[in-house]
Amino acid sequence: MDDLIRIDGSHGEGGGQVLRTSLSLSAITGRAVEIANIRGGRAKPGLQAQHLAAVRAAARICGASCKGDALGSLYLLFEPKHPVRSGDYRFEIGTAGATTLVAQTLIVPLALAGGSSTVVIDGGTHNPMAPTADYLRHVYASALREMGFRFEADYGPPGFYPRGGGELKVRIEPASEIAPIVLTDRIAPNLRAHIVTSCLPESVSERAEKVFADELQIHASSRVVGGTSPGAAVTIVGNHCGFSSLGERGKRMEKVAGEAIEDARKWILGKASVDEHLADQLVLPALFARGESRWSTPSVTEHLRTVIWVAKHFLDFEAHIDEETGFVSLSPC
């Protein structure tokens, strides 16, 4: 394995993004990758359920053999055996782990595979340390659509911590010519809110709707469901931005909505063209664009630096981050 890529999983943000980016690029390029010190920067290092689900999902789409694919493992050897194949796939995390992060590991590889795919993932749809399903559906999908990637996402039922039990469904169409994304100027955010509650009275979502109308003067759509996973979440979405907050026992819905509104107001006062989370999520698709992509972020995060660092192990490209202005540029070689 002279072409083996070796990655230190504790580098930079030292979390799951090192793993997921490595898996995506290994599947796309066909290059084997060895990752040591997986999630070495976290209090509980090693592969957790959602990370293991991402490993096995990525392995399935490219026939990869794996060593170290076990809960708690600090080491993984991932060797693709064939190019990524489009198709219908179903994966189960088994916990309330983030279905959206597993999906983001697969979307770009499957879009480049030349055929249509459907991916269904069981687990958590609204997690505190991951993009919500509403963010994936309305922010990430919209941004990638501007580049020529086409996918649609929806969920039902939702899955909240600790029970999970949610279902995320993603339909991915083949991408042909990938255009660079150029977002040098802020455009009107066009904010709107999405509320989801499960196993809670309808009045809970109505209270959140009132907060959004009174405090931010925006429309809110509500999804009120039953099921087995009690919980609540709000996600404010707009052009290249999204802000989420999750409910928890004893936390009033007015506070849940207020937290997302506070983040949205900070965004409105700024000048960046994308939110800080989308800023690092754009790196992977931009690697396959025909030309230079440019965007700006309100905060240069360790996640952004890390995803570029990982990608440099797999592909040749030029990237520049202006730490003062937050401008990012990326040009495939």
Side-chain angles (χ1 to χ4, degrees), residues 60-61 85-91 106 110 115-121 151-152 167-173:
R60 188 168 163 198
I61 67 173
R85 292 175 180 168
S86 55
D88 296 332
Y89 297 96
R90 188 175 196 110
F91 306 105
L106 305 177
L110 286 171
S116 299
S117 296
T118 299
V119 178
V120 179
I121 309 168
F151 80 89
E152 296 179 353
E167 180 180 280
L168 176 70
K169 185 174 184 178
V170 185
R171 176 71 177 176
I172 306 161
E173 299 300 333

Side-chain angles (χ1 to χ4, degrees), residues 228-304:
T228 60
S229 184
V234 302
T235 305
I236 299 173
V237 304
N239 292 320
H240 312 124
C241 63
F243 317 95
S244 302
S245 180
L246 271 63
E248 56 187 69
R249 186 178 295 275
K251 184 177 181 180
R252 291 183 58 80
M253 201 59 183
E254 287 81 358
K255 180 175 176 58
V256 177
E259 289 176 347
I261 288 171
E262 182 179 354
D263 289 339
R265 283 175 171 161
K266 290 177 182 177
W267 165 260
I268 291 170
L269 294 175
K271 297 180 180 180
S273 60
V274 307
D275 72 56
E276 66 180 49
H277 305 296
L278 187 60
D280 67 75
Q281 295 170 16
L282 288 175
V283 171
L284 181 62
L287 292 170
F288 302 95
R290 296 186 177 182
E292 181 186 37
S293 293
R294 301 189 300 276
W295 61 91
S296 60
T297 174
S299 174
V300 176
T301 65
E302 203 60 46
H303 278 78
L304 174 58

Side-chain angles (χ1 to χ4, degrees), residues 112-163:
L112 299 175
S116 299
S117 296
T118 299
V119 178
V120 179
I121 309 168
D122 297 322
T125 59
H126 295 74
N127 303 64
M129 302 300 290
T132 65
D134 296 294
Y135 185 102
L136 186 81
R137 181 184 184 191
H138 297 285
V139 181
Y140 186 66
S142 178
L144 265 62
R145 195 174 300 119
E146 296 177 37
M147 305 177 71
F149 292 94
R150 293 178 298 150
F151 80 89
E152 296 179 353
D154 202 358
Y155 63 93
F160 295 98
Y161 180 83
R163 293 189 181 181

Side-chain angles (χ1 to χ4, degrees), residues 2-48:
D2 294 337
D3 198 34
L4 179 65
I5 294 171
R6 292 179 171 86
I7 301 286
D8 178 1
S10 66
H11 180 88
E13 65 95 22
Q17 186 174 49
V18 177
L19 173 75
R20 290 186 297 272
T21 304
S22 297
L23 293 171
S24 296
L25 288 170
S26 178
I28 293 168
T29 64
R31 301 179 68 184
V33 62
E34 179 184 68
I35 311 172
N37 303 317
I38 294 173
R39 300 183 64 251
R42 295 294 185 259
K44 190 176 181 180
L47 294 175
Q48 303 305 309

Side-chain angles (χ1 to χ4, degrees), residues 95-111:
T95 69
T99 56
T100 55
L101 294 179
V102 176
Q104 285 188 329
T105 306
L106 305 177
I107 287 169
V108 173
L110 286 171

